[in-house]
Each structure stands twice: as structure tokens, then as C-alpha cells.
Amino acid sequence: MENETTDFIRQRIESDLAENALDQGVITRFPPEPNGFLHIGHAKSICLNFGVAQEYGGETYLRFDDTNPVKESNEYVESIQRDVAWLGFQWKTITHASDYFEQIYSYAEALMRDGKAYVCSLDAEQIRATRGTLTQPGENSPYRDRTVDENLDLFRRMRAGEFSDGTHVARLKIDMASPNLNMRDPVIYRIRHASHQRTGDDWCVYPMYDFTHGICDAIEHISHSLCTLEFADHRPLYDWVLENINMNYHPPQIEFSRLGLEYTVMSKRLLHRLVDEHLVTGWDDPRMPTIAGLRRRGVPASAIREFCQRIGVTKQDNVIEMNLLDFCIRQELESSVPRGMAVLNPLKVVITNYEGSETLEGPWHAQNQDLGRRQLPFGAEIFIEHDDFANEPPPKWKRLSPGEMVRLRYAYIIRCDEVIEDDSGNVVQLNCTYFADSKSGQDTSGLKPKGVVHWVDASAGVPITVLDYGRLFNVPNPSSKTFLDDINPNSLTRLDAMAEPALLAHESRRFQFERQGYFYRDEQADGGAPVFNKTVSLREGF
Ligand code: ATP
Ligand code: MG
């Protein structure tokens, strides 16, 4: 294997394998709740769960943790499948916590028969109030000593729909004085008269995550149940449930750090608010840290996998710099995508001594000849980048300025003779001369301009819209309470640009625009000019 240092999870798996401790091999699961789109934090968990199974010849379940019908929907189920597949992973089968509702329910009844669970008729507020604190024990519920018969009768009537939401819950009978609050008679079932996207109206009681998760893991014979660090405090409960039900397999829960990324938020709850309050255009807005957003921005799946490998798996929560993701994206795209010319902020150049037109040529990638060549129409009027001209050039200026020369990429050397300004002094046109004997590849002019700039022929060029995305937030670590105040109001810049025609005819949707960055053609263009999303600039920006 290529990684010389393996992480603690892979070490654990290797030692389990060495000891023949896994009777069915490595089996993992990725268990999203279908209550939103997946984000790059989920990608870390996906790469880990699917990655280790792949590496050790095992399999991975894609399991929808669909225990909360109110927040879940099919749209999310479908987006999750699309995103996992797009990331390049194949699941063994798709399962749902709801596939096991009957079995989970029967374990709850069994625990009641064993005197280890009871129906509690306190309301949510009372349960909270009697739970105690980190320094004070909780109080026993007055319903804790209901008889087995009474509990079973009430629980069955809960299931039968006799009671309204919130009137009763089922709780485990563990220890109201436990130093771990999760062990203070946790609720395992609540009444919710809500239609479920898979089970319809079959159920009006739904199991809680902590009760459900371990049971599903055991049913699927998961060899390593990998979850994020915040579940470490829930592990005793996970273990308690599996030890106290009649199940002869008990998977180990192993926690790893959550991924945080600078200048964004990563919880579905907060991402929901950005979508619902129309602060972004949707879950797949290219500014979102969602897989769908990254995909639409043009980030290749391989860059996300590479990123997840580089950040590694540790026991320490960390916030990663956006620059690392950008680095991985550039690295993936550098030699593989065609490089064309587009002028983002066009300045007209008239070549006063050029007549007619011709077709020049250049490679799609100077170092990767496999990408082939394209034709470049050239004529007396072209556009160059506004930024490539300076009326009063700073020291060491290598681009165009009055009286100076520059080479047009794959074309001729030009010299700026005249600068035309509008009434307010803005430069609106340059009049230049070209040198006929300076054509790229057959240059006999002996001229040595300092710089090379990109350009687009004015008559053959195609207008495009470029969407340049900045950071969604102004601060590196937006807090969940104030994140709406920290939104960057200038996170989207719309540019009316010009592209060389071959770019639009090319089958690739992904390009480097020379000297600018990587761009991805958006499929959802609205009938106007073709839209290109900026994936990442060529160099570390900001
Ligand atoms: P969120 O708070 O964003 O809703 P979640 O943990 O509630 O996240 P789930 O759908 O329950 O979302 O997550 C599915 C899996 O992805 C879980 O195993 C969870 O631990 C993992 N996961 C979620 N967010 C991250 C993250 N930022 N880094 C690593 N793993 C994550
Ligand atoms: Mg969750």
C-alpha cells in the first residue's frame, strides 16, 4: 500500500485481521441521515468507510438512518446516492434503519420484559428538568417502577396509535446518577404521528438514534462502526444496548475526528438555513461545501479523495485550510485538462497594420500533447485582459504599456502605439502594430518582449458569462450562532467575458483559462451566454 504510515483505524483493522478476529472480514457502513445534502465532512467519512473496506477486501453498506420522518425526504436520499457514487464508491447494498423497525421494536419490548426499559409519561420538559447536570445526579422518573405488564400494555398502545405526540416515551432503565448523562435513562422511543417516506403510516412510534444505531450495526455484522468524536460519550450506551439485548454479535464503535474547513460551515442544520433563507441558490450552489456544490464548481471527485487522504484520520478535531483543498484540485487538473484562452475583462485592441484574417494554431496543453491542438482565428481586432495593460506601468511590468511590446500567445508580437480613453479617462481601446515576422514558432524578428498575454479574436470570440466565487464567509470559523452575520456579501462576481471559439466546441466541460485558473461549464445555463464557474485560481489567492 502506498501510505507508509497507516492511521489508528487501519492499524486496528490490521491487528484484528492478524488475530483472525473478524469472522466475516471487514464490513463497514456509511450511515447518513437523509435530512440534507452531503458535505465535504461526509466525504471524509465516506472515503474512510468505503476506503478501508476496499483496501482490506471488505464491503460497505450505504445505510440511511431514517428514524426521524419529519426532517427526511426522498430528494435527500437520491442526492446522497448520487454523491457517494460520484465520489467513486460502490456500496454492497442500500439499507435503511427503517428496514429493521420491527426488529428494533421487538428488542424494546424484550428489554421491558426484562425490567430494563419502561414507559415514562413525563413530558419532554420534565424529562429535561429531572435529568440533572454534569455535577448533579438526575431524579428517577415517577414512572420508573411500572410493572412489566403495565409497560408492555402502554408501549403496545403507543404503537397502536392510542396516544398523541409527546404523551409517553419509552426509556431505558440504567442509572439516573451516572456521571455520563447519556446513561441517565435515555429515551429510546417517541410518539410521532408522521408519515415516513418509506414506511408510510405503519408506525407512529420511532426509535431514537442511540438505540437504533448499534442494533443496525449488529444486524449488518459491521466489523468496525466508525463515527465522529462527539459520539465517544455515547459509546457506553451503544455498548449497553448491545449487551442487554439478545444479539450475539457486538461491533466495536471507533471514533475519529470531524472535518472542519475554514471560511465555511459544515453542519446540515446551518447549510439548511443558507438554502431556506435564499442566501445561496440551492444545495448545489458552487459556494456551498456540499458535494453537489463542489461538483458544480468543477471540483473533480479525485481531488476530494486526495484531500481526504491528505488530511488523514486522527483523534484530534481540526479545521483545515481551504488552501489544501485548492491545492488538491489544482494538482488533479494540472496536466489533465485542456488549456484555452478566455478574456475575463476585455479590452479592445486594434492592430492597425494588420489586414484580413487567418487561422493560427496551438496545443491544448503545452506539456501534454495527448490533448491535441486547436485552431485560433486571428484578425485586426482582438481583446486582451484589461489587467494586462497599464498606462503607467509599475517597476518590472512584463505586460503591455504605451510604447512597449508583448507577445500574444501562439500569435504575434504587438506594440502599443496609442491609448484611447473615454471622457472619464478610462482606457477603452489600444491601437497597436504587429510584427509580421514574429509569428509563434517561426519568429525571425529578433524582438524580445518581456511578457506573453492571452487574447481572443473579437469577431470569432464567443461571449461567455464567468461566475467567480469567493469565500462564503468573512471569518475563518463562523460560529453557529452568528454565522449569518459573517456572510460575505461579495461572494459572487459575474463577469461578461470572451472565449476563443474552440473552447465552446470542445467536448470537455473543464478547462484551464490560461493565466487565470480552472473553470467548469455549467449545465444549468439559462439560455443566455454559456456559463463557466470558476473552480479555483491558478495560484493561492486571497
Ligand atoms: P451534520 O451535523 O452535518 O448534520 P451529521 O453527523 O448529523 O452531520 P449524518 O448524516 O448523521 O450527519 O452523518 C453521516 C456520517 O457522516 C456520520 O457517521 C458522521 O459521523 C459523518 N460525518 C458528518 N459530518 C462529518 C464531518 N464534518 N467530518 C467527518 N465525518 C462526518
Ligand atoms: Mg446526524
Side-chain angles (χ1 to χ4, degrees), residues 264-296:
T264 190
V265 291
M266 203 87 97
S267 123
K268 276 182 278 183
R269 190 170 56 84
L270 305 187
L271 296 175
H272 249 292
R273 289 195 56 195
L274 295 176
V275 174
D276 295 345
E277 296 178 30
H278 304 288
L279 298 161
V280 293
T281 57
W283 286 98
D284 67 347
D285 186 304
R287 289 167 291 186
M288 292 280 271
T290 51
I291 306 297
L294 293 167
R295 175 170 58 230
R296 193 164 169 202

PDB file of all heavy atoms in Angstrom, residues 264-296:
ATOM      1  N   THR A 264     -16.192  28.295   6.029  1.00  0.00           N
ATOM      2  CA  THR A 264     -17.478  27.740   5.655  1.00  0.00           C
ATOM      3  C   THR A 264     -18.104  27.126   6.904  1.00  0.00           C
ATOM      4  O   THR A 264     -17.492  27.106   7.971  1.00  0.00           O
ATOM      5  CB  THR A 264     -17.342  26.717   4.513  1.00  0.00           C
ATOM      6  OG1 THR A 264     -18.641  26.388   4.034  1.00  0.00           O
ATOM      7  CG2 THR A 264     -16.624  25.463   4.953  1.00  0.00           C
ATOM      8  N   VAL A 265     -19.332  26.673   6.782  1.00  0.00           N
ATOM      9  CA  VAL A 265     -19.956  25.936   7.884  1.00  0.00           C
ATOM     10  C   VAL A 265     -20.221  24.524   7.373  1.00  0.00           C
ATOM     11  O   VAL A 265     -20.337  24.300   6.175  1.00  0.00           O
ATOM     12  CB  VAL A 265     -21.268  26.595   8.368  1.00  0.00           C
ATOM     13  CG1 VAL A 265     -20.975  27.908   9.065  1.00  0.00           C
ATOM     14  CG2 VAL A 265     -22.254  26.796   7.227  1.00  0.00           C
ATOM     15  N   MET A 266     -20.308  23.589   8.300  1.00  0.00           N
ATOM     16  CA  MET A 266     -20.330  22.211   7.855  1.00  0.00           C
ATOM     17  C   MET A 266     -21.432  21.404   8.520  1.00  0.00           C
ATOM     18  O   MET A 266     -21.369  20.197   8.541  1.00  0.00           O
ATOM     19  CB  MET A 266     -18.987  21.581   8.188  1.00  0.00           C
ATOM     20  CG  MET A 266     -18.678  20.399   7.337  1.00  0.00           C
ATOM     21  SD  MET A 266     -17.916  20.913   5.866  1.00  0.00           S
ATOM     22  CE  MET A 266     -16.218  20.645   6.328  1.00  0.00           C
ATOM     23  N   SER A 267     -22.420  22.073   9.081  1.00  0.00           N
ATOM     24  CA  SER A 267     -23.466  21.252   9.662  1.00  0.00           C
ATOM     25  C   SER A 267     -24.705  21.401   8.794  1.00  0.00           C
ATOM     26  O   SER A 267     -25.001  22.486   8.286  1.00  0.00           O
ATOM     27  CB  SER A 267     -23.714  21.674  11.114  1.00  0.00           C
ATOM     28  OG  SER A 267     -25.050  22.023  11.291  1.00  0.00           O
ATOM     29  N   LYS A 268     -25.397  20.294   8.604  1.00  0.00           N
ATOM     30  CA  LYS A 268     -26.563  20.336   7.723  1.00  0.00           C
ATOM     31  C   LYS A 268     -27.588  21.356   8.207  1.00  0.00           C
ATOM     32  O   LYS A 268     -28.271  21.984   7.421  1.00  0.00           O
ATOM     33  CB  LYS A 268     -27.199  18.947   7.637  1.00  0.00           C
ATOM     34  CG  LYS A 268     -26.536  18.061   6.601  1.00  0.00           C
ATOM     35  CD  LYS A 268     -27.215  16.719   6.504  1.00  0.00           C
ATOM     36  CE  LYS A 268     -26.720  15.805   7.593  1.00  0.00           C
ATOM     37  NZ  LYS A 268     -27.278  14.454   7.532  1.00  0.00           N
ATOM     38  N   ARG A 269     -27.668  21.490   9.534  1.00  0.00           N
ATOM     39  CA  ARG A 269     -28.631  22.427  10.096  1.00  0.00           C
ATOM     40  C   ARG A 269     -28.337  23.848   9.595  1.00  0.00           C
ATOM     41  O   ARG A 269     -29.233  24.587   9.190  1.00  0.00           O
ATOM     42  CB  ARG A 269     -28.536  22.375  11.622  1.00  0.00           C
ATOM     43  CG  ARG A 269     -29.606  23.110  12.368  1.00  0.00           C
ATOM     44  CD  ARG A 269     -29.531  22.764  13.862  1.00  0.00           C
ATOM     45  NE  ARG A 269     -28.205  23.034  14.430  1.00  0.00           N
ATOM     46  CZ  ARG A 269     -27.806  24.227  14.875  1.00  0.00           C
ATOM     47  NH1 ARG A 269     -28.608  25.263  14.811  1.00  0.00           N
ATOM     48  NH2 ARG A 269     -26.587  24.388  15.364  1.00  0.00           N
ATOM     49  N   LEU A 270     -27.068  24.227   9.606  1.00  0.00           N
ATOM     50  CA  LEU A 270     -26.714  25.570   9.164  1.00  0.00           C
ATOM     51  C   LEU A 270     -26.803  25.690   7.640  1.00  0.00           C
ATOM     52  O   LEU A 270     -27.250  26.710   7.112  1.00  0.00           O
ATOM     53  CB  LEU A 270     -25.303  25.933   9.646  1.00  0.00           C
ATOM     54  CG  LEU A 270     -25.069  25.805  11.161  1.00  0.00           C
ATOM     55  CD1 LEU A 270     -23.693  26.343  11.526  1.00  0.00           C
ATOM     56  CD2 LEU A 270     -26.141  26.533  11.968  1.00  0.00           C
ATOM     57  N   LEU A 271     -26.397  24.640   6.949  1.00  0.00           N
ATOM     58  CA  LEU A 271     -26.479  24.671   5.480  1.00  0.00           C
ATOM     59  C   LEU A 271     -27.949  24.795   5.045  1.00  0.00           C
ATOM     60  O   LEU A 271     -28.271  25.494   4.090  1.00  0.00           O
ATOM     61  CB  LEU A 271     -25.830  23.426   4.876  1.00  0.00           C
ATOM     62  CG  LEU A 271     -24.320  23.302   5.133  1.00  0.00           C
ATOM     63  CD1 LEU A 271     -23.785  21.972   4.608  1.00  0.00           C
ATOM     64  CD2 LEU A 271     -23.560  24.463   4.488  1.00  0.00           C
ATOM     65  N   HIS A 272     -28.840  24.129   5.803  1.00  0.00           N
ATOM     66  CA  HIS A 272     -30.281  24.246   5.560  1.00  0.00           C
ATOM     67  C   HIS A 272     -30.723  25.697   5.604  1.00  0.00           C
ATOM     68  O   HIS A 272     -31.501  26.158   4.770  1.00  0.00           O
ATOM     69  CB  HIS A 272     -31.052  23.482   6.637  1.00  0.00           C
ATOM     70  CG  HIS A 272     -31.728  22.263   6.107  1.00  0.00           C
ATOM     71  ND1 HIS A 272     -32.786  22.332   5.241  1.00  0.00           N
ATOM     72  CD2 HIS A 272     -31.481  20.952   6.318  1.00  0.00           C
ATOM     73  CE1 HIS A 272     -33.177  21.102   4.944  1.00  0.00           C
ATOM     74  NE2 HIS A 272     -32.395  20.252   5.574  1.00  0.00           N
ATOM     75  N   ARG A 273     -30.217  26.417   6.584  1.00  0.00           N
ATOM     76  CA  ARG A 273     -30.647  27.810   6.723  1.00  0.00           C
ATOM     77  C   ARG A 273     -30.164  28.652   5.546  1.00  0.00           C
ATOM     78  O   ARG A 273     -30.881  29.525   5.059  1.00  0.00           O
ATOM     79  CB  ARG A 273     -30.158  28.382   8.051  1.00  0.00           C
ATOM     80  CG  ARG A 273     -30.929  27.763   9.203  1.00  0.00           C
ATOM     81  CD  ARG A 273     -30.764  28.511  10.494  1.00  0.00           C
ATOM     82  NE  ARG A 273     -31.137  29.914  10.406  1.00  0.00           N
ATOM     83  CZ  ARG A 273     -30.793  30.809  11.331  1.00  0.00           C
ATOM     84  NH1 ARG A 273     -30.063  30.451  12.365  1.00  0.00           N
ATOM     85  NH2 ARG A 273     -31.169  32.067  11.196  1.00  0.00           N
ATOM     86  N   LEU A 274     -28.949  28.391   5.086  1.00  0.00           N
ATOM     87  CA  LEU A 274     -28.453  29.133   3.913  1.00  0.00           C
ATOM     88  C   LEU A 274     -29.366  28.902   2.709  1.00  0.00           C
ATOM     89  O   LEU A 274     -29.669  29.826   1.958  1.00  0.00           O
ATOM     90  CB  LEU A 274     -27.029  28.692   3.569  1.00  0.00           C
ATOM     91  CG  LEU A 274     -25.941  28.998   4.612  1.00  0.00           C
ATOM     92  CD1 LEU A 274     -24.601  28.402   4.166  1.00  0.00           C
ATOM     93  CD2 LEU A 274     -25.799  30.500   4.830  1.00  0.00           C
ATOM     94  N   VAL A 275     -29.816  27.657   2.568  1.00  0.00           N
ATOM     95  CA  VAL A 275     -30.692  27.324   1.434  1.00  0.00           C
ATOM     96  C   VAL A 275     -32.076  27.926   1.651  1.00  0.00           C
ATOM     97  O   VAL A 275     -32.607  28.627   0.792  1.00  0.00           O
ATOM     98  CB  VAL A 275     -30.785  25.795   1.249  1.00  0.00           C
ATOM     99  CG1 VAL A 275     -31.817  25.442   0.172  1.00  0.00           C
ATOM    100  CG2 VAL A 275     -29.422  25.210   0.893  1.00  0.00           C
ATOM    101  N   ASP A 276     -32.645  27.669   2.834  1.00  0.00           N
ATOM    102  CA  ASP A 276     -34.021  28.098   3.101  1.00  0.00           C
ATOM    103  C   ASP A 276     -34.164  29.622   3.073  1.00  0.00           C
ATOM    104  O   ASP A 276     -35.202  30.143   2.685  1.00  0.00           O
ATOM    105  CB  ASP A 276     -34.489  27.569   4.464  1.00  0.00           C
ATOM    106  CG  ASP A 276     -34.580  26.048   4.468  1.00  0.00           C
ATOM    107  OD1 ASP A 276     -34.560  25.455   3.369  1.00  0.00           O
ATOM    108  OD2 ASP A 276     -34.648  25.460   5.566  1.00  0.00           O
ATOM    109  N   GLU A 277     -33.143  30.310   3.508  1.00  0.00           N
ATOM    110  CA  GLU A 277     -33.230  31.776   3.543  1.00  0.00           C
ATOM    111  C   GLU A 277     -32.660  32.403   2.265  1.00  0.00           C
ATOM    112  O   GLU A 277     -32.399  33.605   2.215  1.00  0.00           O
ATOM    113  CB  GLU A 277     -32.540  32.300   4.806  1.00  0.00           C
ATOM    114  CG  GLU A 277     -33.291  31.813   6.048  1.00  0.00           C
ATOM    115  CD  GLU A 277     -32.656  32.226   7.370  1.00  0.00           C
ATOM    116  OE1 GLU A 277     -32.014  33.290   7.422  1.00  0.00           O
ATOM    117  OE2 GLU A 277     -32.817  31.464   8.345  1.00  0.00           O
ATOM    118  N   HIS A 278     -32.449  31.564   1.247  1.00  0.00           N
ATOM    119  CA  HIS A 278     -32.034  32.028  -0.086  1.00  0.00           C
ATOM    120  C   HIS A 278     -30.743  32.841  -0.067  1.00  0.00           C
ATOM    121  O   HIS A 278     -30.562  33.770  -0.845  1.00  0.00           O
ATOM    122  CB  HIS A 278     -33.155  32.832  -0.761  1.00  0.00           C
ATOM    123  CG  HIS A 278     -34.428  32.048  -0.863  1.00  0.00           C
ATOM    124  ND1 HIS A 278     -34.574  30.988  -1.741  1.00  0.00           N
ATOM    125  CD2 HIS A 278     -35.593  32.117  -0.164  1.00  0.00           C
ATOM    126  CE1 HIS A 278     -35.772  30.464  -1.583  1.00  0.00           C
ATOM    127  NE2 HIS A 278     -36.409  31.123  -0.628  1.00  0.00           N
ATOM    128  N   LEU A 279     -29.857  32.488   0.848  1.00  0.00           N
ATOM    129  CA  LEU A 279     -28.556  33.158   0.882  1.00  0.00           C
ATOM    130  C   LEU A 279     -27.619  32.540  -0.141  1.00  0.00           C
ATOM    131  O   LEU A 279     -26.600  33.108  -0.503  1.00  0.00           O
ATOM    132  CB  LEU A 279     -27.978  33.065   2.300  1.00  0.00           C
ATOM    133  CG  LEU A 279     -28.885  33.786   3.305  1.00  0.00           C
ATOM    134  CD1 LEU A 279     -28.612  33.349   4.723  1.00  0.00           C
ATOM    135  CD2 LEU A 279     -28.726  35.297   3.160  1.00  0.00           C
ATOM    136  N   VAL A 280     -27.994  31.365  -0.610  1.00  0.00           N
ATOM    137  CA  VAL A 280     -27.317  30.715  -1.738  1.00  0.00           C
ATOM    138  C   VAL A 280     -28.430  30.261  -2.679  1.00  0.00           C
ATOM    139  O   VAL A 280     -29.607  30.312  -2.314  1.00  0.00           O
ATOM    140  CB  VAL A 280     -26.462  29.506  -1.288  1.00  0.00           C
ATOM    141  CG1 VAL A 280     -25.287  29.944  -0.430  1.00  0.00           C
ATOM    142  CG2 VAL A 280     -27.322  28.491  -0.541  1.00  0.00           C
ATOM    143  N   THR A 281     -28.054  29.800  -3.876  1.00  0.00           N
ATOM    144  CA  THR A 281     -29.109  29.458  -4.832  1.00  0.00           C
ATOM    145  C   THR A 281     -29.670  28.056  -4.623  1.00  0.00           C
ATOM    146  O   THR A 281     -30.659  27.687  -5.239  1.00  0.00           O
ATOM    147  CB  THR A 281     -28.592  29.573  -6.284  1.00  0.00           C
ATOM    148  OG1 THR A 281     -27.457  28.708  -6.418  1.00  0.00           O
ATOM    149  CG2 THR A 281     -28.168  30.993  -6.606  1.00  0.00           C
ATOM    150  N   GLY A 282     -29.049  27.273  -3.780  1.00  0.00           N
ATOM    151  CA  GLY A 282     -29.549  25.923  -3.522  1.00  0.00           C
ATOM    152  C   GLY A 282     -28.437  25.093  -2.907  1.00  0.00           C
ATOM    153  O   GLY A 282     -27.332  25.584  -2.683  1.00  0.00           O
ATOM    154  N   TRP A 283     -28.759  23.808  -2.642  1.00  0.00           N
ATOM    155  CA  TRP A 283     -27.741  22.920  -2.050  1.00  0.00           C
ATOM    156  C   TRP A 283     -26.532  22.765  -2.956  1.00  0.00           C
ATOM    157  O   TRP A 283     -25.439  22.479  -2.503  1.00  0.00           O
ATOM    158  CB  TRP A 283     -28.345  21.537  -1.798  1.00  0.00           C
ATOM    159  CG  TRP A 283     -29.277  21.486  -0.627  1.00  0.00           C
ATOM    160  CD1 TRP A 283     -30.638  21.556  -0.672  1.00  0.00           C
ATOM    161  CD2 TRP A 283     -28.928  21.342   0.763  1.00  0.00           C
ATOM    162  NE1 TRP A 283     -31.145  21.471   0.604  1.00  0.00           N
ATOM    163  CE2 TRP A 283     -30.122  21.329   1.493  1.00  0.00           C
ATOM    164  CE3 TRP A 283     -27.707  21.213   1.431  1.00  0.00           C
ATOM    165  CZ2 TRP A 283     -30.145  21.200   2.882  1.00  0.00           C
ATOM    166  CZ3 TRP A 283     -27.726  21.080   2.819  1.00  0.00           C
ATOM    167  CH2 TRP A 283     -28.933  21.081   3.533  1.00  0.00           C
ATOM    168  N   ASP A 284     -26.746  22.947  -4.276  1.00  0.00           N
ATOM    169  CA  ASP A 284     -25.624  22.756  -5.197  1.00  0.00           C
ATOM    170  C   ASP A 284     -25.025  24.079  -5.645  1.00  0.00           C
ATOM    171  O   ASP A 284     -24.318  24.140  -6.642  1.00  0.00           O
ATOM    172  CB  ASP A 284     -26.046  21.905  -6.406  1.00  0.00           C
ATOM    173  CG  ASP A 284     -27.048  22.635  -7.294  1.00  0.00           C
ATOM    174  OD1 ASP A 284     -27.605  23.680  -6.858  1.00  0.00           O
ATOM    175  OD2 ASP A 284     -27.281  22.172  -8.431  1.00  0.00           O
ATOM    176  N   ASP A 285     -25.293  25.144  -4.907  1.00  0.00           N
ATOM    177  CA  ASP A 285     -24.617  26.403  -5.197  1.00  0.00           C
ATOM    178  C   ASP A 285     -23.108  26.156  -5.085  1.00  0.00           C
ATOM    179  O   ASP A 285     -22.643  25.568  -4.119  1.00  0.00           O
ATOM    180  CB  ASP A 285     -25.066  27.460  -4.175  1.00  0.00           C
ATOM    181  CG  ASP A 285     -24.524  28.848  -4.491  1.00  0.00           C
ATOM    182  OD1 ASP A 285     -23.285  28.986  -4.606  1.00  0.00           O
ATOM    183  OD2 ASP A 285     -25.318  29.793  -4.595  1.00  0.00           O
ATOM    184  N   PRO A 286     -22.346  26.594  -6.104  1.00  0.00           N
ATOM    185  CA  PRO A 286     -20.899  26.317  -6.074  1.00  0.00           C
ATOM    186  C   PRO A 286     -20.163  26.902  -4.873  1.00  0.00           C
ATOM    187  O   PRO A 286     -19.022  26.546  -4.634  1.00  0.00           O
ATOM    188  CB  PRO A 286     -20.401  26.944  -7.381  1.00  0.00           C
ATOM    189  CG  PRO A 286     -21.589  26.897  -8.285  1.00  0.00           C
ATOM    190  CD  PRO A 286     -22.777  27.166  -7.389  1.00  0.00           C
ATOM    191  N   ARG A 287     -20.799  27.772  -4.107  1.00  0.00           N
ATOM    192  CA  ARG A 287     -20.142  28.280  -2.896  1.00  0.00           C
ATOM    193  C   ARG A 287     -20.341  27.372  -1.704  1.00  0.00           C
ATOM    194  O   ARG A 287     -19.713  27.547  -0.660  1.00  0.00           O
ATOM    195  CB  ARG A 287     -20.702  29.672  -2.547  1.00  0.00           C
ATOM    196  CG  ARG A 287     -20.264  30.742  -3.520  1.00  0.00           C
ATOM    197  CD  ARG A 287     -21.068  32.004  -3.340  1.00  0.00           C
ATOM    198  NE  ARG A 287     -22.463  31.793  -3.759  1.00  0.00           N
ATOM    199  CZ  ARG A 287     -23.375  32.746  -3.815  1.00  0.00           C
ATOM    200  NH1 ARG A 287     -23.060  33.973  -3.474  1.00  0.00           N
ATOM    201  NH2 ARG A 287     -24.615  32.469  -4.207  1.00  0.00           N
ATOM    202  N   MET A 288     -21.245  26.412  -1.837  1.00  0.00           N
ATOM    203  CA  MET A 288     -21.552  25.530  -0.709  1.00  0.00           C
ATOM    204  C   MET A 288     -20.469  24.463  -0.554  1.00  0.00           C
ATOM    205  O   MET A 288     -19.883  24.015  -1.535  1.00  0.00           O
ATOM    206  CB  MET A 288     -22.901  24.840  -0.953  1.00  0.00           C
ATOM    207  CG  MET A 288     -24.078  25.791  -0.906  1.00  0.00           C
ATOM    208  SD  MET A 288     -24.568  26.157   0.786  1.00  0.00           S
ATOM    209  CE  MET A 288     -25.751  24.811   1.047  1.00  0.00           C
ATOM    210  N   PRO A 289     -20.226  24.014   0.707  1.00  0.00           N
ATOM    211  CA  PRO A 289     -19.242  22.946   0.906  1.00  0.00           C
ATOM    212  C   PRO A 289     -19.847  21.569   0.653  1.00  0.00           C
ATOM    213  O   PRO A 289     -19.276  20.554   1.042  1.00  0.00           O
ATOM    214  CB  PRO A 289     -18.877  23.112   2.383  1.00  0.00           C
ATOM    215  CG  PRO A 289     -20.139  23.613   3.010  1.00  0.00           C
ATOM    216  CD  PRO A 289     -20.788  24.509   1.979  1.00  0.00           C
ATOM    217  N   THR A 290     -21.008  21.551   0.019  1.00  0.00           N
ATOM    218  CA  THR A 290     -21.650  20.264  -0.283  1.00  0.00           C
ATOM    219  C   THR A 290     -20.930  19.581  -1.440  1.00  0.00           C
ATOM    220  O   THR A 290     -20.293  20.233  -2.264  1.00  0.00           O
ATOM    221  CB  THR A 290     -23.116  20.491  -0.702  1.00  0.00           C
ATOM    222  OG1 THR A 290     -23.141  21.484  -1.743  1.00  0.00           O
ATOM    223  CG2 THR A 290     -23.955  20.963   0.471  1.00  0.00           C
ATOM    224  N   ILE A 291     -21.086  18.264  -1.500  1.00  0.00           N
ATOM    225  CA  ILE A 291     -20.507  17.523  -2.627  1.00  0.00           C
ATOM    226  C   ILE A 291     -21.126  18.049  -3.928  1.00  0.00           C
ATOM    227  O   ILE A 291     -20.430  18.272  -4.916  1.00  0.00           O
ATOM    228  CB  ILE A 291     -20.799  16.006  -2.491  1.00  0.00           C
ATOM    229  CG1 ILE A 291     -20.335  15.470  -1.134  1.00  0.00           C
ATOM    230  CG2 ILE A 291     -20.162  15.226  -3.629  1.00  0.00           C
ATOM    231  CD1 ILE A 291     -18.882  15.557  -0.876  1.00  0.00           C
ATOM    232  N   ALA A 292     -22.432  18.285  -3.907  1.00  0.00           N
ATOM    233  CA  ALA A 292     -23.113  18.772  -5.112  1.00  0.00           C
ATOM    234  C   ALA A 292     -22.603  20.156  -5.514  1.00  0.00           C
ATOM    235  O   ALA A 292     -22.468  20.452  -6.698  1.00  0.00           O
ATOM    236  CB  ALA A 292     -24.626  18.804  -4.881  1.00  0.00           C
ATOM    237  N   GLY A 293     -22.316  20.993  -4.534  1.00  0.00           N
ATOM    238  CA  GLY A 293     -21.793  22.328  -4.817  1.00  0.00           C
ATOM    239  C   GLY A 293     -20.382  22.264  -5.383  1.00  0.00           C
ATOM    240  O   GLY A 293     -20.049  22.944  -6.352  1.00  0.00           O
ATOM    241  N   LEU A 294     -19.561  21.426  -4.765  1.00  0.00           N
ATOM    242  CA  LEU A 294     -18.182  21.283  -5.244  1.00  0.00           C
ATOM    243  C   LEU A 294     -18.166  20.721  -6.666  1.00  0.00           C
ATOM    244  O   LEU A 294     -17.402  21.167  -7.519  1.00  0.00           O
ATOM    245  CB  LEU A 294     -17.391  20.370  -4.298  1.00  0.00           C
ATOM    246  CG  LEU A 294     -17.155  20.939  -2.895  1.00  0.00           C
ATOM    247  CD1 LEU A 294     -16.646  19.856  -1.950  1.00  0.00           C
ATOM    248  CD2 LEU A 294     -16.187  22.106  -2.936  1.00  0.00           C
ATOM    249  N   ARG A 295     -19.055  19.754  -6.895  1.00  0.00           N
ATOM    250  CA  ARG A 295     -19.124  19.151  -8.234  1.00  0.00           C
ATOM    251  C   ARG A 295     -19.495  20.220  -9.252  1.00  0.00           C
ATOM    252  O   ARG A 295     -18.924  20.323 -10.326  1.00  0.00           O
ATOM    253  CB  ARG A 295     -20.160  18.022  -8.237  1.00  0.00           C
ATOM    254  CG  ARG A 295     -20.396  17.400  -9.608  1.00  0.00           C
ATOM    255  CD  ARG A 295     -21.237  16.139  -9.501  1.00  0.00           C
ATOM    256  NE  ARG A 295     -22.512  16.387  -8.875  1.00  0.00           N
ATOM    257  CZ  ARG A 295     -23.020  15.674  -7.862  1.00  0.00           C
ATOM    258  NH1 ARG A 295     -22.366  14.642  -7.378  1.00  0.00           N
ATOM    259  NH2 ARG A 295     -24.190  15.984  -7.346  1.00  0.00           N
ATOM    260  N   ARG A 296     -20.478  21.035  -8.904  1.00  0.00           N
ATOM    261  CA  ARG A 296     -20.944  22.058  -9.840  1.00  0.00           C
ATOM    262  C   ARG A 296     -19.894  23.150 -10.046  1.00  0.00           C
ATOM    263  O   ARG A 296     -19.843  23.813 -11.088  1.00  0.00           O
ATOM    264  CB  ARG A 296     -22.239  22.666  -9.299  1.00  0.00           C
ATOM    265  CG  ARG A 296     -22.926  23.482 -10.331  1.00  0.00           C
ATOM    266  CD  ARG A 296     -24.354  23.769  -9.986  1.00  0.00           C
ATOM    267  NE  ARG A 296     -24.848  24.771 -10.902  1.00  0.00           N
ATOM    268  CZ  ARG A 296     -25.877  25.541 -10.669  1.00  0.00           C
ATOM    269  NH1 ARG A 296     -26.561  25.402  -9.552  1.00  0.00           N
ATOM    270  NH2 ARG A 296     -26.250  26.440 -11.545  1.00  0.00           N
TER     271      ARG A 296
END
